[in-house]
Protein backbone atom coordinates (compact mmCIF):
# COMPACT_ATOMS: atom_id res chain seq x y z
CA UNK A 1 0.00 0.00 0.00
CA UNK A 2 2.86 2.39 0.80
CA UNK A 3 4.29 1.92 -2.70
CA UNK A 4 0.94 2.78 -4.26
CA UNK A 5 0.73 5.97 -2.20
CA UNK A 6 4.23 6.93 -3.26
CA UNK A 7 3.30 6.32 -6.89
CA UNK A 8 0.20 8.48 -6.52
CA UNK A 9 2.39 11.31 -5.23
CA UNK A 10 4.65 10.84 -8.27
CA UNK A 11 1.65 10.86 -10.59
CA UNK A 12 0.29 14.06 -9.02
CA UNK A 13 3.71 15.67 -9.32
CA UNK A 14 3.93 14.64 -12.96
CA UNK A 15 0.47 15.98 -13.73
CA UNK A 16 1.41 19.34 -12.17
CA UNK A 17 4.58 19.39 -14.25
CA UNK A 18 2.61 18.53 -17.38
CA UNK A 19 0.09 21.31 -16.72
CA UNK A 20 2.95 23.78 -16.32
CA UNK A 21 4.50 22.57 -19.59
CA UNK A 22 1.14 22.88 -21.37
CA UNK A 23 0.77 26.44 -20.10
CA UNK A 24 4.24 27.25 -21.44
CA UNK A 25 3.63 25.66 -24.83
CA UNK A 26 0.24 27.36 -25.16
CA UNK A 27 1.83 30.73 -24.48
CA UNK A 28 4.48 30.25 -27.19
CA UNK A 29 4.25 33.04 -29.73
CA UNK A 30 6.08 31.32 -32.57
CA UNK A 31 7.55 28.01 -33.68
CA UNK A 32 11.03 28.81 -32.40
CA UNK A 33 9.72 29.40 -28.89
CA UNK A 34 7.59 26.25 -29.04
CA UNK A 35 10.53 24.11 -30.17
CA UNK A 36 12.65 25.66 -27.41
CA UNK A 37 10.03 24.81 -24.77
CA UNK A 38 9.85 21.23 -26.03
CA UNK A 39 13.65 21.06 -25.91
CA UNK A 40 14.29 20.30 -29.58
CA UNK A 41 15.30 23.69 -30.94
CA UNK A 42 18.94 22.67 -31.42
CA UNK A 43 17.84 19.59 -33.38
CA UNK A 44 15.46 21.65 -35.53
CA UNK A 45 18.16 24.16 -36.42
CA UNK A 46 20.80 21.56 -37.22
CA UNK A 47 21.54 20.14 -40.64
CA UNK A 48 21.48 23.41 -42.52
CA UNK A 49 18.00 24.54 -41.50
CA UNK A 50 18.07 28.19 -40.48
CA UNK A 51 14.41 28.86 -39.74
CA UNK A 52 11.82 26.82 -37.87
CA UNK A 53 9.23 27.44 -40.60
CA UNK A 54 11.61 25.84 -43.10
CA UNK A 55 11.93 22.77 -40.85
CA UNK A 56 8.15 22.41 -40.52
CA UNK A 57 7.59 22.80 -44.27
CA UNK A 58 10.26 20.19 -44.95
CA UNK A 59 8.73 17.78 -42.42
CA UNK A 60 5.27 18.22 -43.96
CA UNK A 61 6.65 17.67 -47.44
CA UNK A 62 8.50 14.55 -46.30
CA UNK A 63 5.29 13.23 -44.77
CA UNK A 64 3.48 13.83 -48.04
CA UNK A 65 6.14 11.96 -50.01
CA UNK A 66 7.72 15.10 -51.46
CA UNK A 67 11.45 15.61 -51.38
Amino acid sequence: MKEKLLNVKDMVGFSKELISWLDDINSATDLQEAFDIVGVLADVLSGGVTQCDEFVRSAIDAGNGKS
Side-chain angles (χ1 to χ4, degrees):
M1 182 64 149
K2 186 177 179 180
E3 286 181 37
K4 288 183 180 183
L5 290 175
L6 291 175
N7 287 340
V8 169
K9 287 180 185 178
D10 287 344
M11 290 185 339
V12 169
F14 176 71
S15 66
K16 288 180 181 178
E17 184 179 328
L18 184 58
I19 288 170
S20 175
W21 180 84
L22 286 171
D23 287 341
D24 289 346
I25 199 72
N26 283 328
S27 68
T29 57
D30 59 20
L31 287 172
Q32 182 170 336
E33 187 177 1
F35 285 132
D36 190 31
I37 291 168
V38 175
V40 297
L41 183 58
D43 294 327
V44 168
L45 296 178
S46 67
V49 176
T50 59
Q51 294 185 349
C52 294
D53 291 347
E54 179 185 348
F55 173 83
V56 172
R57 275 189 229 103
S58 177
I60 292 169
D61 288 346
N64 289 333
K66 300 176 184 174
S67 293

